[in-house]
Amino acid sequence: MIQVLFNNTPLQIEENITLSTILKQHDYPTNGIAVIRNQNLIPYSQYAQTVLHADDVIEIILPMQGG
């Protein structure tokens, strides 16, 4: 197990887990959101290939609505 910071919450996850898997496990949509990993935007096309590592900082940004 490794630890990452997921939306400001420490989270224990399995090694070699991908970004798309962790998003599914936490009921986030895989499109229509922005994912920042260690202050870098991860393109949607790379979610399935992006393996998380110990001490990664993941931020999920959801679209805002209003007017």
Side-chain angles (χ1 to χ4, degrees):
M1 298 291 277
I2 61 172
Q3 182 170 305
V4 298
L5 192 61
F6 189 81
N7 280 343
N8 295 317
T9 302
L11 181 63
Q12 294 287 325
I13 61 172
E14 297 177 27
E15 291 186 39
N16 299 317
I17 196 167
T18 63
L19 181 56
S20 61
T21 300
I22 200 78
L23 290 173
K24 289 176 188 174
Q25 288 178 348
H26 290 271
D27 296 322
Y28 282 97
T30 54
N31 59 7
I33 62 172
V35 179
I36 310 297
R37 175 184 173 207
N38 302 328
Q39 299 182 347
N40 295 303
L41 178 67
I42 304 296
Y44 169 74
S45 62
Q46 294 181 10
Y47 288 4
Q49 294 83 27
T50 301
V51 176
L52 301 181
H53 301 286
D55 301 319
D56 276 349
V57 177
I58 308 297
E59 297 175 52
I60 310 300
I61 301 172
L62 300 170
M64 305 248 336
Q65 294 185 358

